[in-house]
């Protein structure tokens, strides 16, 4: 990553809160290598292509986040048709499950004054009587890396909320399903990915040469709880140390180190 000057570095990687600069949790976590990204880029004609897909995919994620946060605060937002199946599935999930959210703690800034970093939580929620951090993802699966992020929010939030117990990832996604072979098709950032069923043969139809017949786009919701945050938090602090080492030139320039 290239930074043109100290202001550019500060703006790209952190927040200023009460005149003090703090590195962002998501910037820090980026120090961890993501081998899956090599495969992603390798399948594309150019690096630029990959950047465009990531950008568009992030925009789609933002649309889902905004819609979900509005719904959680009791509003009736207008939903962009491209994310409607996912948001509709979320509404249904919300109606069928015991989830309450404090409107004052949606998209809320969290600062660790002890360890000097800041981040933004999606929500604080009460789910089945347990109180915790709720983070929303629009990915095709729940990845372990997400736990670094929510662990970082835990200690600073716990100072304000002694009753903070747990954390969840709520995954909201949408895909089509082949009515003949069970393959799924997911379009993200303008790129389509077809996933064959694991055993490759459902109802005797081989998915390899199936002329797929796609269902309509259907939303899917997955909620997973990760109550044990301490090990993840230690890993986050390790990542932060490495991130500071990597950026010591700029961090010294701006007086952080
Ligand atoms: Zn098929």
């Amino acid at each position: 990553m290239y930074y043109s000057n100290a202001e550019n570095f500060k703006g790209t990687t952190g927040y200023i809160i009460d005149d003090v600069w703090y590195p962002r949790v998501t910037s820090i976590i980026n120090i961890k290598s993501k081998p899956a990204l090599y495969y992603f880029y390798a399948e594309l004609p150019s690096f630029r292509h990959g950047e465009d897909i990531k950008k568009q995919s992030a925009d789609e994620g933002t649309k889902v986040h905004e819609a979900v946060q509005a719904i959680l605060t009791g509003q009736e937002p207008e939903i962009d048709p491209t994310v409607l199946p996912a948001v509709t599935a979320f509404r249904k999930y919300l109606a069928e499950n015991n989830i309450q959210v404090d409107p004052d703690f949606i998209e809320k800034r969290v600062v660790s004054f002890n360890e000097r970093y800041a981040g933004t939580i999606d929500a604080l929620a009460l789910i089945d009587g347990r109180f915790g951090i709720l983070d929303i993802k629009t990915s095709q699966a729940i990845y372990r890396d997400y736990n670094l992020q929510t662990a970082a929010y835990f200690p600073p939030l716990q100072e304000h909320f002694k009753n903070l117990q747990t954390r969840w990832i709520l995954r909201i996604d949408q895909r089509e399903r082949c009515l003949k072979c069970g393959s799924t098709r997911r379009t993200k950032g303008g790129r389509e990915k077809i996933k064959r069923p694991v055993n490759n043969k459902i109802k005797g139809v081989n998915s390899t040469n199936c002329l797929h017949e796609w269902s309509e786009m259907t939303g899917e919701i997955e909620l997973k709880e990760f109550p044990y945050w301490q090990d993840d938090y230690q890993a986050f602090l390790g990542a932060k140390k490495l991130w500071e080492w990597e950026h010591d030139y700029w961090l010294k320039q701006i007086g952080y180190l």
Side-chain angles (χ1 to χ4, degrees), residues 178 180-183 210-213:
C178 174
K180 282 152 64 182
C181 76
S183 291
C210 175
L211 297 167
H212 302 303
E213 195 184 308

Side-chain angles (χ1 to χ4, degrees), residues 26-169:
T26 46
S27 309
I28 291 167
I29 287 167
N30 267 336
I31 199 71
K32 184 179 175 295
S33 86
K34 294 170 190 68
L37 272 184
Y38 296 132
Y39 294 96
F40 167 75
Y41 281 107
E43 284 177 352
L44 299 172
S46 72
F47 177 73
R48 187 59 217 247
H49 226 90
E51 293 300 280
D52 290 346
I53 291 171
K54 278 166 70 180
K55 167 85 177 56
Q56 198 186 324
S57 168
D59 291 346
E60 289 162 10
T62 303
K63 281 179 193 162
V64 175
H65 269 79
E66 285 172 354
V68 163
Q69 285 168 340
I71 291 166
L72 284 171
T73 50
Q75 299 168 53
E76 283 290 331
E78 205 171 304
I79 312 297
D80 189 296
T82 56
V83 298
L84 187 59
V87 176
T88 304
F90 171 72
R91 276 189 199 281
K92 184 165 177 279
Y93 190 86
L94 200 60
E96 290 168 355
N97 291 271
N98 184 12
I99 300 176
Q100 287 148 51
V101 161
D102 185 339
D104 290 341
F105 288 93
I106 286 194
E107 277 278 310
K108 198 86 177 156
R109 187 68 47 82
V110 177
V111 189
S112 169
F113 298 105
N114 294 332
E115 297 290 343
R116 291 197 299 166
Y117 62 82
T120 308
I121 55 160
D122 285 333
L124 287 180
L126 193 63
I127 302 180
D128 292 331
R130 289 164 64 69
F131 182 55
I133 299 164
L134 180 66
D135 202 55
I136 297 158
K137 299 291 182 195
T138 51
S139 48
Q140 59 176 332
I142 292 178
Y143 302 108
R144 201 169 165 235
D145 284 23
Y146 297 158
N147 291 342
L148 294 177
Q149 191 184 343
T150 51
Y153 303 146
F154 215 100
L157 278 168
Q158 214 173 25
E159 285 181 24
H160 294 274
F161 302 97
K162 301 286 175 221
N163 55 340
L164 192 71
Q165 286 172 294
T166 192
R167 46 188 186 146
W168 299 272
I169 299 291

Side-chain angles (χ1 to χ4, degrees), residues 177-184 194 197 205-214:
R177 197 167 292 275
C178 174
L179 302 168
K180 282 152 64 182
C181 76
S183 291
T184 59
I194 293 174
V205 177
N206 190 326
S207 64
T208 318
N209 8 330
C210 175
L211 297 167
H212 302 303
E213 195 184 308
W214 298 112

